[in-house]
Amino acid sequence: MTRSSLLLLLSGILICTLFVASHCEEQRISGDKLLVVTVATKDTDGFRRFSRSAKHFNYTVKVLGRGQKWNGGDYMSAPGGGQKVRLLKAALEKMKKVDQIILFIDSYDVVFASGPKELLKKFQQAKHRVVFSSESLIWPDRHLEDKHPHVREGNRFLGSGGFIGYLPNVKEMVANWTGKDNESDQLFFTNIYIDPAKRKSINITLDSKCRLFQNLHGALDEVVLKFEDSRVRARNVLYDTLPVIIHGNGPTKLQINYLGNYIPSAWTFEKGCTVCHQDLYPLTALKESEYPLVLIGVFIEQPTPFVTVFFERLLKLQYPKDRLKLFIYNQEAHHKSQVSSFLQDHGSLYQDVKHMGPEEDMDAAAARNLAFDKCRNDKDCDYFFSVDIAVVLQNENTLKILIEQNLPIVAPMITRAGRLWSNFWGALSADGYYARSEDYVDIVQGQRMGVWNVPYVSNVYLVKASLLRSELKDYELFTSSLLDPDMAYCHNVRSKGIFMYATNMHTFGRIVSTDNYQTVHLHNDLWQIFENPVDWKERYIHQNYSHIMKDKLIETPCPDVYWFPIFSNVACNHIVEEMEHFGKWSGGANVDTRIQGGYENVPTIDIHMNQINFEKEWQKFLLEYIAPITEKMYPGYYTKCSTPLNFVVRYKPDEQPLLVPHHDASTFTINIALNSKGVDYQGGGCKFLRYDCSVQAPRKGWALMHPGRLTHYHEGLPTTAGTRYIAVSFVDP
């Protein structure tokens, strides 16, 4: 062959190659030829999620069966679904375009992860006229396993929850359907697929490597989230594919709910939550008289700290009281007085109040069932807001925020201070108990902010009353012989396909710990400094304590004597009342068996903290709140706050009005005024003799801190009327 002939041959090959590439190859399918067909007899939460993802990618969707009764059975756990095939067959008979592409999928548990262009490209690459989703598990007839064709790699069994194909081929496939609505669609399509002649005639294959469809049942360990730029995909790590359609078939509804929190772009690292401000129900456009009517259910099931604080916060909710009704269930006799006091003082503010006390002998499940039914049967009730007494609602707009979310059931995320505990579960274990989802810690710690579809909420949540009158009509939602009331309730909600959400878009509050809560004292909350330190601080530490250094609130009324706010009014009152309730005041004699050596040189009328079992708590208070001030005021001195004596002193004109000059057996002394001069008593005060300097009008809740030995010889000035109380600590003897 000559050189010129060779060049001509090569040129011809190149031209042919270019021609084939541009003309000979089957042309890419146009997106307008694709029609998504699904069956949805009810507008469920799952269907709305499906529709949002379809709209996100501009799919054209035809919905069959709307408004019809579902007769296809519960085919999540038993064969069924034939109604879908009947509806599909009828719809296809009206379609005529031979080049029409039909994507038939479930919708209640399906999310699109990509658009029509990628779907059609992968369908075309399958080189078959009909492509079914695949599964690793055979259903519903295991005896048919051997009849399934073997595949070189991937899943071997057909999944009926999704398939894509040309209209004529799909028509041919469903033409012979004559089954009942509750017969198995999966078995019908399986029998077609395992028949070699029908499989060839219709030209069916399986998406064995999950390039188009990802069925989650039997494949949970294979699927992970893949975060792309402002987009989220599900990646099958076994086959290294990115499925276009994610299907939570069978018992994997919770997993599709989890994935749906992200796919296709509900939450991304770049933009955060992109759907949290959609479909809101703004209250700002309404007059207060037009606000939804809310029945608030308050549940007290065990001795709980800070109950009085709970009711104070309930009063502060920013919502018109005349649009609120109360249902208060209390099975704890210990809290009767607190509930009664609240209702007596504030019950008239609410439109209606129903109170059930411990004398009614009703268990928690029955009470919650009754509360739901009260809202269910009240035509004016728009929402039920369930709140357990242990909930601390710091956000006064919580109720408004939840209503505006416009969700069927939504909980404000609350946590327990310093712990990863919260009022929602991100996942469930195989036996229906708590399991930690991959994103749980990030959500609880606020690293991911959003509105999350979760399998369990408790303690505080809002429910639409319309839901109670429709999907949740069952009276005994909280009743179970095996499960706690909250778990029974969530199980019943999940079984109805209703979504529950938890939002951490705002900071709402926390929940107090009820562990080790004793009810043997008058003011039991005083003992909560260990179990509930945040709540203890809010209740008992002066509101200006945190500003002491910043705003220079420490005063120096005498040399090396420091005066600063430490206790709230409530703390002062509770300590005094606790001591008077205990009542065993010392006689003020020199002989005192309570102290080491049994002799007190400068006796007072007092009660020691250890007499009321408050020594450990007081020591904790000194370390947390006094030691930091000491180290600032006495530079270079660091204290462990060791104290031989912590006590409350009582001064009365006819008992012990004063204290003679003396030194304290301490490195430094704390003297906290527990009541107010001019209100509770007259006279009093402390005089430092060496400096001829007095503090004659101690402020309630303020502490005097001064050296104890050598330099600060001092006396207690006479109380001339009333009763004066001070709390004293001799620190570092």
PDB file of all heavy atoms in Angstrom, residues 254-270:
ATOM      1  N   LEU A 254     -37.518   4.615  58.767  1.00  0.00           N
ATOM      2  CA  LEU A 254     -36.749   5.542  59.588  1.00  0.00           C
ATOM      3  C   LEU A 254     -35.469   5.961  58.886  1.00  0.00           C
ATOM      4  O   LEU A 254     -35.013   7.099  59.023  1.00  0.00           O
ATOM      5  CB  LEU A 254     -36.419   4.911  60.939  1.00  0.00           C
ATOM      6  CG  LEU A 254     -37.613   4.474  61.795  1.00  0.00           C
ATOM      7  CD1 LEU A 254     -37.141   4.012  63.162  1.00  0.00           C
ATOM      8  CD2 LEU A 254     -38.625   5.598  61.931  1.00  0.00           C
ATOM      9  N   GLN A 255     -34.887   5.027  58.126  1.00  0.00           N
ATOM     10  CA  GLN A 255     -33.637   5.351  57.422  1.00  0.00           C
ATOM     11  C   GLN A 255     -33.882   6.331  56.289  1.00  0.00           C
ATOM     12  O   GLN A 255     -33.078   7.246  56.068  1.00  0.00           O
ATOM     13  CB  GLN A 255     -32.988   4.061  56.903  1.00  0.00           C
ATOM     14  CG  GLN A 255     -32.325   3.225  57.972  1.00  0.00           C
ATOM     15  CD  GLN A 255     -33.334   2.485  58.857  1.00  0.00           C
ATOM     16  OE1 GLN A 255     -34.485   2.268  58.470  1.00  0.00           O
ATOM     17  NE2 GLN A 255     -32.895   2.087  60.038  1.00  0.00           N
ATOM     18  N   ILE A 256     -34.989   6.177  55.568  1.00  0.00           N
ATOM     19  CA  ILE A 256     -35.268   7.151  54.506  1.00  0.00           C
ATOM     20  C   ILE A 256     -35.615   8.506  55.122  1.00  0.00           C
ATOM     21  O   ILE A 256     -35.285   9.560  54.567  1.00  0.00           O
ATOM     22  CB  ILE A 256     -36.393   6.666  53.562  1.00  0.00           C
ATOM     23  CG1 ILE A 256     -36.503   7.587  52.341  1.00  0.00           C
ATOM     24  CG2 ILE A 256     -37.718   6.570  54.262  1.00  0.00           C
ATOM     25  CD1 ILE A 256     -35.302   7.603  51.440  1.00  0.00           C
ATOM     26  N   ASN A 257     -36.231   8.486  56.303  1.00  0.00           N
ATOM     27  CA  ASN A 257     -36.497   9.753  56.987  1.00  0.00           C
ATOM     28  C   ASN A 257     -35.192  10.451  57.353  1.00  0.00           C
ATOM     29  O   ASN A 257     -35.066  11.677  57.227  1.00  0.00           O
ATOM     30  CB  ASN A 257     -37.322   9.508  58.245  1.00  0.00           C
ATOM     31  CG  ASN A 257     -38.748   9.082  57.933  1.00  0.00           C
ATOM     32  OD1 ASN A 257     -39.192   9.161  56.784  1.00  0.00           O
ATOM     33  ND2 ASN A 257     -39.459   8.626  58.941  1.00  0.00           N
ATOM     34  N   TYR A 258     -34.234   9.668  57.819  1.00  0.00           N
ATOM     35  CA  TYR A 258     -32.923  10.231  58.162  1.00  0.00           C
ATOM     36  C   TYR A 258     -32.240  10.804  56.920  1.00  0.00           C
ATOM     37  O   TYR A 258     -31.775  11.948  56.917  1.00  0.00           O
ATOM     38  CB  TYR A 258     -32.047   9.152  58.795  1.00  0.00           C
ATOM     39  CG  TYR A 258     -30.587   9.538  58.920  1.00  0.00           C
ATOM     40  CD1 TYR A 258     -30.163  10.434  59.891  1.00  0.00           C
ATOM     41  CD2 TYR A 258     -29.633   9.017  58.051  1.00  0.00           C
ATOM     42  CE1 TYR A 258     -28.831  10.799  60.001  1.00  0.00           C
ATOM     43  CE2 TYR A 258     -28.296   9.373  58.159  1.00  0.00           C
ATOM     44  CZ  TYR A 258     -27.902  10.262  59.127  1.00  0.00           C
ATOM     45  OH  TYR A 258     -26.587  10.625  59.224  1.00  0.00           O
ATOM     46  N   LEU A 259     -32.188  10.025  55.848  1.00  0.00           N
ATOM     47  CA  LEU A 259     -31.541  10.494  54.624  1.00  0.00           C
ATOM     48  C   LEU A 259     -32.278  11.698  54.048  1.00  0.00           C
ATOM     49  O   LEU A 259     -31.656  12.619  53.505  1.00  0.00           O
ATOM     50  CB  LEU A 259     -31.495   9.366  53.594  1.00  0.00           C
ATOM     51  CG  LEU A 259     -30.660   8.136  53.977  1.00  0.00           C
ATOM     52  CD1 LEU A 259     -30.805   7.046  52.927  1.00  0.00           C
ATOM     53  CD2 LEU A 259     -29.194   8.498  54.155  1.00  0.00           C
ATOM     54  N   GLY A 260     -33.616  11.699  54.194  1.00  0.00           N
ATOM     55  CA  GLY A 260     -34.405  12.809  53.673  1.00  0.00           C
ATOM     56  C   GLY A 260     -34.168  14.113  54.399  1.00  0.00           C
ATOM     57  O   GLY A 260     -34.561  15.178  53.917  1.00  0.00           O
ATOM     58  N   ASN A 261     -33.545  14.055  55.575  1.00  0.00           N
ATOM     59  CA  ASN A 261     -33.154  15.293  56.257  1.00  0.00           C
ATOM     60  C   ASN A 261     -32.062  16.040  55.495  1.00  0.00           C
ATOM     61  O   ASN A 261     -31.798  17.212  55.795  1.00  0.00           O
ATOM     62  CB  ASN A 261     -32.644  14.977  57.667  1.00  0.00           C
ATOM     63  CG  ASN A 261     -33.771  14.681  58.645  1.00  0.00           C
ATOM     64  OD1 ASN A 261     -34.862  15.230  58.522  1.00  0.00           O
ATOM     65  ND2 ASN A 261     -33.504  13.816  59.612  1.00  0.00           N
ATOM     66  N   TYR A 262     -31.447  15.371  54.556  1.00  0.00           N
ATOM     67  CA  TYR A 262     -30.311  15.949  53.817  1.00  0.00           C
ATOM     68  C   TYR A 262     -30.541  15.951  52.303  1.00  0.00           C
ATOM     69  O   TYR A 262     -30.262  16.945  51.636  1.00  0.00           O
ATOM     70  CB  TYR A 262     -29.035  15.163  54.140  1.00  0.00           C
ATOM     71  CG  TYR A 262     -28.646  15.234  55.587  1.00  0.00           C
ATOM     72  CD1 TYR A 262     -29.057  14.262  56.495  1.00  0.00           C
ATOM     73  CD2 TYR A 262     -27.887  16.294  56.075  1.00  0.00           C
ATOM     74  CE1 TYR A 262     -28.716  14.342  57.841  1.00  0.00           C
ATOM     75  CE2 TYR A 262     -27.539  16.380  57.410  1.00  0.00           C
ATOM     76  CZ  TYR A 262     -27.958  15.395  58.288  1.00  0.00           C
ATOM     77  OH  TYR A 262     -27.618  15.486  59.611  1.00  0.00           O
ATOM     78  N   ILE A 263     -30.984  14.828  51.751  1.00  0.00           N
ATOM     79  CA  ILE A 263     -31.115  14.670  50.298  1.00  0.00           C
ATOM     80  C   ILE A 263     -32.382  15.367  49.816  1.00  0.00           C
ATOM     81  O   ILE A 263     -33.445  15.224  50.438  1.00  0.00           O
ATOM     82  CB  ILE A 263     -31.175  13.169  49.936  1.00  0.00           C
ATOM     83  CG1 ILE A 263     -29.889  12.460  50.377  1.00  0.00           C
ATOM     84  CG2 ILE A 263     -31.411  12.948  48.456  1.00  0.00           C
ATOM     85  CD1 ILE A 263     -29.935  10.952  50.257  1.00  0.00           C
ATOM     86  N   PRO A 264     -32.344  16.097  48.694  1.00  0.00           N
ATOM     87  CA  PRO A 264     -31.168  16.372  47.859  1.00  0.00           C
ATOM     88  C   PRO A 264     -30.348  17.584  48.336  1.00  0.00           C
ATOM     89  O   PRO A 264     -29.174  17.674  48.093  1.00  0.00           O
ATOM     90  CB  PRO A 264     -31.778  16.639  46.491  1.00  0.00           C
ATOM     91  CG  PRO A 264     -33.117  17.240  46.811  1.00  0.00           C
ATOM     92  CD  PRO A 264     -33.593  16.556  48.053  1.00  0.00           C
ATOM     93  N   SER A 265     -31.025  18.509  49.058  1.00  0.00           N
ATOM     94  CA  SER A 265     -30.286  19.669  49.567  1.00  0.00           C
ATOM     95  C   SER A 265     -31.031  20.301  50.733  1.00  0.00           C
ATOM     96  O   SER A 265     -30.971  21.505  50.942  1.00  0.00           O
ATOM     97  CB  SER A 265     -30.084  20.719  48.460  1.00  0.00           C
ATOM     98  OG  SER A 265     -31.335  21.184  47.983  1.00  0.00           O
ATOM     99  N   ALA A 266     -31.740  19.447  51.488  1.00  0.00           N
ATOM    100  CA  ALA A 266     -32.503  19.967  52.624  1.00  0.00           C
ATOM    101  C   ALA A 266     -31.582  20.589  53.662  1.00  0.00           C
ATOM    102  O   ALA A 266     -31.922  21.588  54.302  1.00  0.00           O
ATOM    103  CB  ALA A 266     -33.341  18.847  53.244  1.00  0.00           C
ATOM    104  N   TRP A 267     -30.419  19.970  53.851  1.00  0.00           N
ATOM    105  CA  TRP A 267     -29.408  20.545  54.743  1.00  0.00           C
ATOM    106  C   TRP A 267     -28.040  20.282  54.134  1.00  0.00           C
ATOM    107  O   TRP A 267     -27.711  19.146  53.769  1.00  0.00           O
ATOM    108  CB  TRP A 267     -29.461  19.921  56.132  1.00  0.00           C
ATOM    109  CG  TRP A 267     -28.602  20.654  57.132  1.00  0.00           C
ATOM    110  CD1 TRP A 267     -28.988  21.631  57.979  1.00  0.00           C
ATOM    111  CD2 TRP A 267     -27.183  20.483  57.346  1.00  0.00           C
ATOM    112  NE1 TRP A 267     -27.912  22.084  58.722  1.00  0.00           N
ATOM    113  CE2 TRP A 267     -26.792  21.391  58.348  1.00  0.00           C
ATOM    114  CE3 TRP A 267     -26.220  19.645  56.778  1.00  0.00           C
ATOM    115  CZ2 TRP A 267     -25.479  21.497  58.798  1.00  0.00           C
ATOM    116  CZ3 TRP A 267     -24.903  19.746  57.226  1.00  0.00           C
ATOM    117  CH2 TRP A 267     -24.551  20.659  58.231  1.00  0.00           C
ATOM    118  N   THR A 268     -27.250  21.329  53.985  1.00  0.00           N
ATOM    119  CA  THR A 268     -25.898  21.193  53.459  1.00  0.00           C
ATOM    120  C   THR A 268     -24.947  21.979  54.347  1.00  0.00           C
ATOM    121  O   THR A 268     -25.349  22.896  55.068  1.00  0.00           O
ATOM    122  CB  THR A 268     -25.789  21.722  52.012  1.00  0.00           C
ATOM    123  OG1 THR A 268     -25.992  23.141  52.019  1.00  0.00           O
ATOM    124  CG2 THR A 268     -26.822  21.061  51.105  1.00  0.00           C
ATOM    125  N   PHE A 269     -23.679  21.623  54.271  1.00  0.00           N
ATOM    126  CA  PHE A 269     -22.678  22.333  55.068  1.00  0.00           C
ATOM    127  C   PHE A 269     -22.545  23.780  54.616  1.00  0.00           C
ATOM    128  O   PHE A 269     -22.249  24.670  55.409  1.00  0.00           O
ATOM    129  CB  PHE A 269     -21.326  21.627  54.970  1.00  0.00           C
ATOM    130  CG  PHE A 269     -21.235  20.385  55.806  1.00  0.00           C
ATOM    131  CD1 PHE A 269     -21.287  19.133  55.216  1.00  0.00           C
ATOM    132  CD2 PHE A 269     -21.116  20.462  57.188  1.00  0.00           C
ATOM    133  CE1 PHE A 269     -21.211  17.987  55.992  1.00  0.00           C
ATOM    134  CE2 PHE A 269     -21.045  19.325  57.965  1.00  0.00           C
ATOM    135  CZ  PHE A 269     -21.092  18.074  57.366  1.00  0.00           C
ATOM    136  N   GLU A 270     -22.769  24.017  53.333  1.00  0.00           N
ATOM    137  CA  GLU A 270     -22.590  25.369  52.811  1.00  0.00           C
ATOM    138  C   GLU A 270     -23.740  26.294  53.195  1.00  0.00           C
ATOM    139  O   GLU A 270     -23.536  27.457  53.561  1.00  0.00           O
ATOM    140  CB  GLU A 270     -22.477  25.335  51.281  1.00  0.00           C
ATOM    141  CG  GLU A 270     -21.233  24.645  50.747  1.00  0.00           C
ATOM    142  CD  GLU A 270     -21.351  23.122  50.730  1.00  0.00           C
ATOM    143  OE1 GLU A 270     -22.459  22.603  51.008  1.00  0.00           O
ATOM    144  OE2 GLU A 270     -20.345  22.456  50.455  1.00  0.00           O
TER     145      GLU A 270
END
